[in-house]
């Protein structure tokens, strides 16, 4: 079997029992962001937002969530070589800050190691019917596909979805404009959740009416022996998705750089999970996956190490609950967790999360 190697490639599975117990009590609940009145206190009924490094968070989760997560969506840094800045407006004061880093000094080895060791653990968290959707682009998707073959097995490859964002592209002088991302999909077992999605056709078409007769697909005929046509207005969703990049004019826009379109996440969550399932996003950014999972009555776990990400996700969660016209079917309570070190303590005591910040992409 073909395997990718890089400098200092290692997997931490040998030490997993130790890591699991080291991080068992590492995270403490820092806030109940929202609680519905009729909540019952079952561990698996809560939605959890972690502020911290997702590797440590995944070691922690192995204690209670091994084989419990039904769908994982990952939108990690892409090895783009840029850092993502934001411009923050607080009252009349404006300042620039880094939302997250994606500069690796051209060091693909450490980037691959970063994703490899996480994906190995995320696989352990996936339930038997679970699948993982990993969002990348031309910078590293070709490497990560080989790594996924190694971790999940070539037979667990489901799809490579091309997200064609027709409203934004980066044109170089000597290459065609790049206008798509790649989303690699792998399943934990052969018996995984996969819901077919249908989308409207641009123009309705006439199609022969057919039916299965003794295992063979046959044309349906009328009493005079003529074939029958039907008008079809939709079609099966294929693996090329035409969805725009989110524009600042959208009411969903948070200002977080690389915020993904909610329609993209809606498709992924509908295909890969059912109502009541547990969905996780370990690079949750502005929280798009969690918002959509919530709307679609899935339970969720989110994680990010950037305080701006946690700020925006928390704010979006509070807004959806406040604007909820009809309550969701699930008893849900949303909690935030962190390991409070000196730096986090400083951020919390400065009142950062309660501030009214306006965030703009730089
Ligand atoms: C591409 S953005 C995600 C955007 C998100 N899908 C959205 O719609 O807003 C990647 C995120 O991964 C986070 N991140 C990077 N490395 C991380 C790590 N080791 N642990 C947790 N979060 C991480 C960054 O802070 C950033 O918010």
């Amino acid at each position: 079997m073909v395997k990718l190697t890089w400098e200092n490639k290692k997997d931490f599975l040998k030490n997993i029992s130790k890591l699991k117990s080291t991080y068992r009590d590492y995270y403490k609940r820092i806030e109940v962001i929202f609680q519905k009145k009729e909540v019952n206190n079952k561990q698996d009924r809560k939605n959890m937002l972690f502020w911290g490094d997702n590797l440590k968070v995944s070691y922690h989760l192995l204690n209670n969530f091994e084989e419990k997560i039904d769908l994982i969506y990952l939108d990690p840094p892409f090895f783009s070589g840029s850092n993502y800045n934001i411009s923050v407006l607080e009252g009349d004061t404006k300042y620039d800050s880094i939302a997250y880093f994606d500069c690796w000094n051209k060091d693909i080895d450490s980037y691959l190691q970063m994703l490899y060791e996480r994906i190995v653990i995320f696989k352990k968290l996936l339930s038997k019917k679970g699948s993982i959707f990993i969002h990348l682009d031309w910078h590293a998707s070709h490497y990560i596909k080989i790594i996924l073959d190694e971790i999940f097995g070539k037979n667990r490859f489901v799809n490579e979805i091309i997200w064609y964002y027709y409203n934004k592209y980066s044109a170089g002088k000597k290459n065609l404009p790049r206008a798509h991302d790649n989303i690699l999909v792998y399943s934990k077992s052969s018996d995984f959740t996969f819901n077919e999605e249908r989308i409207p056709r641009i123009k309705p078409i006439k199609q022969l009416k057919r039916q299965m007769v003794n295992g063979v697909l046959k044309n349906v005929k009328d009493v005079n022996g003529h074939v029958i046509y039907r008008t079809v207005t939709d079609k099966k969703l294929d693996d090329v998705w035409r969805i725009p990049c989110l524009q600042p004019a959208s009411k969903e826009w948070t200002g977080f750089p690389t915020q993904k379109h909610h329609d993209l996440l809606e498709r992924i969550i509908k295909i890969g999970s059912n109502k009541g399932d547990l969905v996780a996003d370990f690079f949750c950014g502005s929280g798009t996956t969690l918002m959509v999972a919530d709307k679609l009555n899935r339970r969720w776990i989110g994680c990010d190490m950037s305080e701006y990400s946690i700020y925006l996700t928390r704010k979006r969660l509070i807004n959806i609950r406040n604007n909820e016209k009809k309550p969701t079917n699930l008893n849900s309570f949303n909690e935030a967790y962190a390991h409070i070190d000196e730096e986090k303590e400083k951020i919390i005591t400065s009142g950062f999360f309660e501030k009214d910040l306006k965030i703009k992409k730089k």
Side-chain angles (χ1 to χ4, degrees):
M1 181 200 172
V2 175
K3 279 191 184 177
L4 199 64
T5 58
W6 56 86
E7 214 173 295
N8 296 325
K9 178 177 182 179
K10 28 181 186 308
D11 100 43
F12 293 93
L13 279 184
K14 314 192 253 324
N15 302 329
I16 203 68
S17 310
K18 193 159 170 254
L19 290 163
K20 228 171 115 170
S21 75
T22 307
Y23 290 101
R24 182 190 302 272
D25 302 316
Y26 192 72
Y27 292 96
K28 300 275 176 277
R29 189 172 73 186
I30 54 168
E31 189 188 6
V32 175
I33 301 176
F34 185 90
Q35 180 166 343
K36 286 177 74 174
K37 285 195 190 84
E38 71 272 30
V39 146
N40 59 23
N41 207 9
K42 275 201 205 151
Q43 165 79 10
D44 65 353
R45 270 306 187 206
K46 57 188 173 190
N47 299 318
M48 301 162 98
L49 176 64
F50 287 88
W51 179 20
D53 175 15
N54 50 25
L55 187 61
K56 292 178 182 166
V57 169
S58 60
Y59 294 143
H60 168 78
L61 289 175
L62 276 177
N63 288 289
N64 288 316
F65 288 90
E66 185 157 356
E67 300 217 321
K68 293 273 170 50
I69 300 179
D70 302 300
L71 170 67
I72 297 179
Y73 168 76
L74 303 179
D75 179 19
F78 286 179
F79 194 68
S80 67
S82 312
N83 290 327
Y84 292 88
N85 299 322
I86 47 177
S87 176
V88 185
L89 190 65
E90 184 184 342
D92 292 334
T93 318
K94 204 172 161 190
Y95 60 93
D96 291 339
S97 194
I98 293 206
Y100 70 94
F101 296 90
D102 192 8
C103 254
W104 303 81
N105 295 326
K106 299 203 173 16
D107 179 6
I108 187 76
D109 303 73
S110 50
Y111 175 80
L112 295 179
Q113 181 61 33
M114 180 280 284
L115 273 183
Y116 177 67
E117 62 199 32
R118 284 164 175 77
I119 297 169
V120 167
I121 310 294
F122 296 155
K123 184 188 171 202
K124 288 177 88 57
L125 293 171
L126 269 185
S127 72
K128 294 216 166 60
K129 60 174 187 157
S131 56
I132 190 162
F133 287 61
I134 307 193
H135 193 140
L136 298 155
D137 73 0
W138 62 272
H139 289 94
S141 66
H142 50 305
Y143 295 123
I144 303 300
K145 184 159 188 302
I146 299 174
I147 291 177
L148 287 166
D149 282 348
E150 178 189 326
I151 299 174
F152 283 85
K154 260 172 129 56
N155 295 341
R156 297 283 83 85
F157 170 74
V158 179
N159 272 118
E160 175 167 3
I161 298 165
I162 301 300
W163 170 29
Y164 168 46
Y165 40 79
Y166 50 88
N167 60 340
K168 174 193 157 216
Y169 59 71
S170 54
K173 281 197 183 119
K174 285 205 172 184
N175 65 279
L176 299 174
R178 297 188 174 120
H180 77 271
D181 285 358
N182 314 59
I183 304 171
L184 299 167
V185 188
Y186 280 72
S187 64
K188 176 86 172 245
S189 72
S190 55
D191 183 22
F192 61 102
T193 301
F194 187 86
N195 301 314
E196 185 186 298
E197 275 289 289
R198 298 193 70 84
I199 52 166
R201 287 179 177 276
I202 298 168
K203 268 193 196 158
I205 59 155
K206 284 209 152 130
Q207 228 175 38
L208 280 171
K209 200 168 169 186
R210 311 186 88 188
Q211 71 180 26
M212 218 36 117
V213 181
N214 300 329
V216 183
L217 207 51
K218 295 214 161 149
N219 292 340
V220 178
K221 295 189 178 159
D222 64 15
V223 284
N224 300 318
H226 298 133
V227 290
I228 301 176
Y229 288 90
R230 61 186 184 128
T231 304
V232 182
T233 54
D234 65 0
K235 61 175 183 178
K236 250 189 193 179
L237 177 67
D238 61 29
D239 60 2
V240 180
W241 297 1
R242 194 176 186 279
I243 295 176
C245 271
L246 198 68
Q247 294 295 316
S250 163
K251 68 176 181 10
E252 298 288 336
W253 176 251
T254 63
F256 192 79
T258 68
Q259 177 182 343
K260 298 301 177 297
H261 201 295
H262 39 281
D263 288 351
L264 184 79
L265 269 307
E266 186 162 331
R267 277 190 186 171
I268 291 172
I269 292 172
K270 281 184 173 167
I271 290 169
S273 68
N274 295 310
K275 278 190 185 165
D277 278 356
L278 180 57
V279 173
D281 183 342
F282 293 106
F283 296 87
C284 76
S286 61
T288 313
T289 309
L290 319 183
M291 303 307 113
V292 178
D294 211 274
K295 191 180 110 193
L296 297 173
N297 283 330
R298 272 68 166 170
R299 294 169 294 126
W300 51 259
I301 293 176
C303 171
D304 206 289
M305 59 200 246
S306 146
E307 67 267 29
Y308 288 101
S309 155
I310 301 300
Y311 174 89
L312 289 171
T313 301
R314 180 184 177 276
K315 208 163 146 185
R316 286 175 96 184
L317 283 169
I318 292 171
N319 283 346
I320 52 169
R321 289 289 181 251
N322 287 344
N323 297 332
E324 219 164 48
K325 291 194 184 73
K326 66 177 175 53
T328 56
N329 298 333
L330 297 176
N331 291 332
S332 64
F333 52 124
N334 304 333
E335 298 183 342
Y337 288 79
H339 174 75
I340 301 299
D341 53 17
E342 212 178 300
E343 195 193 327
K344 287 194 170 62
E345 179 79 57
K346 237 164 101 186
I347 295 172
I348 294 174
T349 49
S350 74
F352 175 79
F353 291 109
E354 284 74 40
K355 284 180 180 166
D356 184 21
L357 305 178
K358 306 264 173 297
I359 295 177
K360 286 197 172 73
K361 191 173 163 182
K362 277 271 289 171

